[in-house]
Amino acid sequence: SLIKPYLAVNKAEVKEMCLTEYEEERVLAGKFAEGVEKGIGIGVEKGRLNAFVELVKDGVLSVMEAARRADMTVSEFEAAAGLKGE
């Protein structure tokens, strides 16, 4: 086999490469999971904000109450909700 002599001569390099690539796969998988988790959190927050915006538009909540429930200032809520100028 042509590979066996190469592996024997370059054993340390091959071993390092295998370990590095294995670690890279594990690290990338972890980063992907973190990204998904973060994305879900962002999606939940956007959904929560959108619900408060709809309640304001329907007249159920005041902007001040919606901002309080969203843990924001009125200005932050209006900016995030696109309500400035309404």
Side-chain angles (χ1 to χ4, degrees):
S1 154
L2 294 173
I3 295 175
K4 191 172 183 176
Y6 177 82
L7 294 177
V9 171
N10 299 295
K11 184 177 179 179
E13 181 183 350
V14 171
K15 183 177 178 181
E16 180 64 29
M17 189 173 86
C18 289
L19 291 174
T20 302
E21 287 187 18
Y22 172 77
E23 287 296 312
E24 180 181 22
E25 292 279 330
R26 188 176 61 79
V27 168
L28 289 176
K31 292 291 182 189
F32 177 77
E34 286 174 23
V36 168
E37 196 172 291
K38 185 176 182 181
I40 289 170
I42 290 169
V44 168
E45 283 303 309
K46 281 187 176 184
R48 187 170 174 258
L49 178 65
N50 289 339
F52 289 137
V53 170
E54 289 304 313
L55 290 171
V56 168
K57 287 182 177 181
D58 291 345
V60 176
L61 290 178
S62 68
V63 172
M64 185 180 290
E65 179 61 19
R68 184 188 70 74
R69 290 183 183 198
D71 198 27
M72 300 174 149
T73 66
V74 170
S75 297
E76 290 171 335
F77 181 81
E78 288 175 335
L83 294 174
K84 289 207 176 208
E86 285 191 16

